[in-house]
Amino acid sequence: MTLALHGGTPVRSTPWPSWPPPMDDAQRKLVTDVLESGLWGATQGGSAVSDLTAAFAGRSGVPYGVAVGNATLGLFAALRGLGVGPGDEVIVPAYTFVASATSVLLAGATPVIVDVDPVDLHLSATAAEAAITSKTVAVMPVHLAGSPADMDPFNELAARYGLVVVEDAAQAHGAAYRGRPIGGLGDAGVYSFQASKAMTAGEGGLIVCREESVHEAIWSVCNLGRKLGGQWYGHPNLGWNLRLTEIQAALLIPWLDRLDAEIDRREAFCAALDLGDLPVRAVPQPEGTTRDSRHLLMLRFEQPVDRAFLLAAMAAEGVPLEAGYPPLGTMSALTEAGARAEPCPATQAAAESVVWVRQSMLMDDPARAVDIAEALAKVLSA
Ligand SMILES: *Cc1c(COP(=O)(O)O)cnc(C)c1O
């Protein structure tokens, strides 16, 4: 048993659930079928990738999808398919995973890193509008932590300034905005199936979209520039092989049947977390959130804390929390590659005062949410 930093017994000594969970029977059957068939690639006539794509697009409320190797490449392919390239600027939030910006660089365009809303920490539509120049062609709201970005203002901006909207939905499988599934609210939406996400095959991604022409263009980017339904060795466009495998799709299909129950479980855990009088609060959801997929729970301290000490002390209490993202604008690799950072005071404040409770912890019995509150109380009283 480890000793807590403040002495005595740690609040929690049992492990938290691990993520991803082990393969279930439905996955074992589908994966075994694919393995035994020998049809492991998506171009050999198997149906797992096409079944997953159709089902996932359907859940997103749109007719089209393209499965890809990961969401970084998915964001790149969505941007390319929507015509974004060199000389163009794409607005991304400063408080997000680095791939929201590196995908823009991969497309040859310039990420413009813009501040978030000081309260909900999602991309600020006001700051986004202020950053628009004659070169701006796209905006990328991120459905951060599983909470939908407030999409209406972005779609209004897009209509007013002639922009495309690419939703980074990597963290928000199953989330809904004003009663509609996210992913299908902009011109394209991109999900991730990387190991930390709510549905995973270790790696993977999926792009969804509403328009047939957008689907054809994105499909072509992901399939070496081929024309959908055209010749195998005809490559009228520039494209790459960005495909998902049948084996990965077989792991993902059964997840669609349990995703909602898993979201409900995380929601129940979040609802059970009673922070009482502690000077720390859950970061509120953006306007219009009707279903939060609870990828992670962001907690914000209402007074300055020594966060490095706090995280170490919480870990010693058996409640490991995470520091979360540094502001993208502070990453020299991005700015040296040409990214432009607008002033981001709200992001800076968030980066100093927010900690994350991981999805794997939210999957525990909601009755154990008390472990987090108790550990926080113990550590903050020190
Ligand atoms: C995970 C993540 C990505 C990248 O997904 P990969 O599948 O790992 O490439 C992009 N954006 C956000 C917000 C993410 O959380």
Side-chain angles (χ1 to χ4, degrees):
M1 187 179 283
T2 46
L3 269 192
L5 288 191
H6 306 107
T9 315
V11 166
R12 175 159 175 147
S13 51
T14 50
W16 293 88
S18 63
W19 191 267
M23 180 161 70
D24 72 8
D25 289 342
Q27 288 172 313
R28 180 171 292 107
K29 162 130 190 25
L30 262 189
V31 171
T32 306
D33 287 352
V34 168
L35 289 176
E36 286 178 348
S37 74
L39 306 176
W40 304 339
T43 58
Q44 295 172 274
S47 64
V49 167
S50 52
D51 288 351
L52 171 74
T53 304
F56 207 89
R59 277 194 64 128
S60 303
V62 297
Y64 303 108
V66 180
V68 287
N70 60 60
T72 308
L73 293 174
L75 291 166
F76 155 76
L79 291 165
R80 288 277 314 194
L82 287 162
V84 178
D88 295 335
E89 292 180 356
V90 178
I91 292 172
V92 303
Y95 195 70
T96 180
F97 186 58
V98 68
S100 307
T102 53
S103 57
V104 175
L105 289 166
L106 197 56
T110 301
V112 176
I113 298 167
V114 164
D115 209 4
V116 295
D117 179 88
V119 176
D120 65 45
L121 306 187
H122 286 57
L123 178 60
S124 156
T126 316
E129 180 166 17
I132 290 173
T133 72
S134 59
K135 294 178 177 170
T136 309
V137 298
V139 58
M140 188 190 291
V142 177
H143 303 301
L144 183 69
S147 311
D150 184 3
M151 289 297 292
D152 288 346
F154 294 111
N155 284 330
E156 280 158 25
L157 278 187
R160 196 137 35 91
Y161 292 92
L163 315 177
V164 295
V165 178
V166 175
E167 300 173 65
D168 182 338
Q171 304 184 353
H173 322 63
Y177 171 73
R178 300 197 192 285
R180 293 169 60 199
I182 55 103
L185 303 170
D187 295 279
V190 181
Y191 295 88
S192 171
F193 303 129
Q194 184 267 344
S196 70
K197 314 295 167 148
M199 283 177 61
T200 177
E203 302 288 353
L206 206 140
I207 309 160
V208 296
C209 63
R210 278 173 297 170
E211 298 286 337
E212 186 177 11
S213 60
V214 171
H215 172 243
E216 285 176 0
I218 293 174
W219 185 92
S220 185
V221 172
C222 299
N223 285 275
L224 302 123
R226 290 186 182 111
K227 183 173 160 34
L228 190 59
Q231 286 178 356
W232 186 252
Y233 290 119
H235 306 274
N237 307 309
L238 193 57
W240 297 265
N241 174 1
L242 308 183
R243 291 185 297 264
L244 191 75
T245 67
E246 289 281 295
I247 305 166
Q248 289 168 298
L251 275 165
L252 291 162
I253 290 169
W255 223 303
L256 290 167
D257 294 330
R258 48 187 243 233
L259 180 64
D260 278 321
E262 291 179 348
I263 295 172
D264 288 345
R265 189 175 175 95
R266 294 193 290 270
E267 186 62 56
F269 188 100
C270 293
L273 179 60
D274 179 1
L275 294 167
D277 297 336
L278 294 171
V280 53
R281 284 289 164 265
V283 170
Q285 295 154 330
E287 185 73 32
T289 301
T290 46
R291 175 86 154 150
D292 186 323
S293 69
R294 298 296 190 186
H295 174 64
L296 31 96
L297 180 64
M298 298 191 290
L299 300 178
R300 182 164 204 159
F301 291 93
E302 291 170 335
Q303 61 193 36
V305 285
D306 177 348
R307 218 171 31 151
F309 171 79
L310 180 119
L311 292 172
M314 288 296 287
E317 294 295 345
V319 182
L321 304 178
E322 304 247 351
Y325 301 128
L328 286 194
T330 64
M331 296 183 186
S332 57
L334 295 179
T335 45
E336 281 164 19
R340 193 175 86 230
E342 297 286 315
C344 294
T347 304
Q348 190 60 47
E352 288 162 12
S353 62
V354 169
V355 295
W356 295 353
V357 183
R358 281 274 176 202
Q359 166 179 268
S360 52
M361 293 168 72
L362 305 179
M363 290 300 292
D364 204 352
D365 182 344
R368 301 308 298 269
V370 69
D371 294 348
I372 297 176
E374 265 179 33
L376 280 170
K378 192 167 163 189
V379 167
L380 288 171
S381 72

